[in-house]
Amino acid sequence: MINLEISNEGLWVVTINRPDKANSLTGEMLTELAEIAERAGEARGFILTGTGKVFSAGADLEAARAGLATSPLWERLSGAIAALPCLTIAALNGTLAGGANGMVLACDIRLAVPLAKFFYPVMKLGYLPQPSDPTRMVALIGPARTKMILAAGQKIEAEEACAWGLVDRIVEPDALMESARALLSDALAAKPETARGILEMCR
């Protein structure tokens, strides 16, 4: 349910592929995603995307009830993505919900299709978000807007998310992956040390 493509030029494309369940994540899927991110230290570029009309609904409901909602796997995954020395892009093919926000917040750039929505209903569900998620969200959109999402439970549509800085560009679905690859073209062509150095300065 997790697909990995590695190109000759060093581009890693990771796809969540469980569209019949809104790409909701089980413990096994989270572990696989984390292991891929931890192995991607030599990647020259990294794209995270999904299949279908939803990027990810977050934790699988049955798995969440069994404890996945508060598992350290979420933090392990987002930390591994944030630590990658290459340019990382989340190509959001649809709505982003719940704990799946963490891996996306950890990416350098976020693209989204026009019908994507963004929500993280931890207050309603009675969970705390993973520790790094509010910090990364505040860095992108500020404390008040972060509270709108995490404390007030607001569902944010793509246009507003882009205006806030939660996503960086809205792209039509048929151009999503092409746009993500285009953003990585300079990084893939550059010397690895140059790409790493620029990203370290920006981060």
Side-chain angles (χ1 to χ4, degrees), residues 47-69:
I47 298 174
L48 184 62
T49 192
T51 55
K53 295 185 178 180
V54 176
F55 171 76
S56 177
D60 175 87
L61 287 177
E62 288 186 15
R65 293 188 194 104
L68 186 62

Side-chain angles (χ1 to χ4, degrees), residues 151-168:
Q154 295 300 288
K155 186 178 289 187
I156 310 301
E157 297 191 359
E159 187 174 338
E160 188 171 25
C162 193
W164 285 10
L166 188 61
V167 296
D168 302 295

Side-chain angles (χ1 to χ4, degrees), residues 163-184:
W164 285 10
L166 188 61
V167 296
D168 302 295
R169 184 171 290 169
I170 297 174
V171 182
E172 292 298 326
D174 58 359
L176 182 64
M177 292 306 295
E178 180 184 348
S179 297
R181 292 174 191 274
L183 288 172
L184 282 161

Side-chain angles (χ1 to χ4, degrees), residues 3 20 31 34 49 58 65 67 75 94 108 110 118 120-121 126 128 133 136 146 149-150 155 159 176 190 194 200 202:
N3 299 338
D20 56 315
T31 299
T49 192
R65 293 188 194 104
E75 193 74 4
D108 295 307
R110 283 153 293 281
F118 302 82
Y120 198 163
L128 292 177
D133 292 357
R136 291 191 178 111
T146 297
I149 294 171
L150 295 179
K155 186 178 289 187
E159 187 174 338
L176 182 64
T194 301
E200 285 171 6
C202 292

